Amino acid sequence: MLRAEWLTDLSQISENCWLTLFQSGFPFTDHAFLNALANGKSVDSNSGWQSQHLAVWQGEQLVALVPGYLKTHSYGEYLFDWQIAQAYQQLQLPYYPKWIAALPFTPVTGPRLGMRQGTDQYAVLHVVCQFLKAELNQGKLHSVQWLYPEAELATSLAEQGLWLRYDVQFLWQNQRYTDFNDFLARLNSRKRKQIAKERAACTGLSLQTLTGEQLTDNHWQQLIRCYQATYLKRSGHHGYITPQSFQLMAKTMATQIVVFAAFDSQQPQQIVAAALCFRGKDALYGRYWGALEHNDYLHFELCYYQGIEYCIKRGLAFFDAGAQGEHKLKRGFAPVLRYGAYCFADTPLSAAIQGYFKQEQRHLQHYLQAAEAALPYKALVK
């Protein structure tokens, strides 16, 4: 006897209870991370992201949970649906609110359904999907979107009648490299020279790797300044993550945070650029980048090469350096297929959306093959 209900405040769930649902070591479904976003007002408030998690109960026991948000826009999702939203607008059909099973501003594949050990996933998903379809039929939502679920869950959602959508990201995979030079030796000569040139362009700066425990309040103030300056230049706002959320992450997630920072050689206490990463069980995740000065190659050094070195030294299997960026391909990041799963209220656009997804899938499968062929390795990494 399972029942699904909305849950709008994670403080109603203790951290110990949360750990019975999410045990994978994936940092972005940590109680601390999602609470930092909520309590720091990166979500809720007037952000257009309203916490609306989906809890599944068996009697009085919480047995499953899907982190989710009610959205009144499509910003910060990365598996974007702007074309669909525009089509709805042209037909004067309501598109928002929509509900997304996603991690805010974090387009990383990982757990989207946390379950207590021994719980029947099929039964849970059936209850969850029936609940969500009822919300659609009653007009409370106009679409349901699961963004970047793991492949197995995406397949299960398709079996429940959701439409799959594809995306291609780029992932560095550790082939038991002994050091960075060993990694370079696996690349063709042209790419080795290019990377050596890019790294040499950054030697005038002091590059440091700082763990969350080593970061001081002054460090955090400078990291936030870099982050905000880059977003302001690129997007005209100060970024999605508030200073308050960063400060909460600093307090509650220090053991999972790694920062690659460049310090001014003339002012050795001044950070001029930094990449803020999170460490998982067997992977490093690059998340937030910012810089106060322009350097053509500093982004590559801090966001890619420093992370690769870190993973090699610590034996991590993967480095997920963030969404988008075909330039990662030239630096040894292999293309990987990612997923979304969708369900829409029935409208005159339904058939067209389903056709669009199928066409997009075919295009991305061809793109994936072409990208794999363009990898710079002497022998293709599998």
Side-chain angles (χ1 to χ4, degrees), residues 3-6 52-55 125-138 141:
R3 72 179 189 281
E5 294 178 352
W6 294 122
Q52 192 151 301
H53 313 296
L54 187 50
L125 273 183
H126 180 72
V127 168
V128 163
C129 290
Q130 290 303 309
F131 176 84
L132 292 170
K133 288 174 183 177
E135 296 284 285
L136 290 169
N137 291 336
Q138 294 167 23
L141 303 171

Side-chain angles (χ1 to χ4, degrees), residues 106 322 369:
T106 309
Q369 294 171 358

